[in-house]
Amino acid sequence: MPVWRDDWDGPPNVVVISETAITEQGVVEDALLFVLDETPERVALAERGGPALTFTLPSEALDGTCMRVGLDLFTQQENPQ
């Protein structure tokens, strides 16, 4: 089960959990989103030890203290290889 976080060394502000991998189109389908504090619409998240991806978050999650289920979140690779 993939988990992406904005911080793996301390308490995260944004966490995304999904039962499936990212699609070829860069979508995390049916995701669970936790936002604990204010955040920008585009945020860099990574799996532990993996490359950072830019996730685009829904506008209702930007003010913080948000938990949403069943979201399709779009990603973009931060550092293309």
Side-chain angles (χ1 to χ4, degrees), residues 2-70:
V3 176
W4 296 269
R5 294 171 50 152
D6 61 337
D7 188 346
W8 282 97
D9 296 323
N13 185 45
V14 179
V15 178
V16 173
I17 302 171
S18 178
E19 291 185 318
T20 60
I22 297 173
T23 67
E24 288 182 16
Q25 295 77 26
V27 179
V28 176
E29 296 176 329
D30 202 25
L32 174 60
L33 170 67
F34 294 98
V35 178
L36 304 176
D37 202 353
E38 289 183 25
T39 191
E41 179 181 23
R42 295 173 53 87
V43 62
L45 305 177
E47 291 184 89
R48 183 178 291 280
L53 300 173
T54 299
F55 280 70
T56 302
L57 304 179
S59 59
E60 62 269 15
L62 306 183
D63 291 336
T65 315
C66 173
M67 184 186 92
R68 295 276 314 271
V69 296

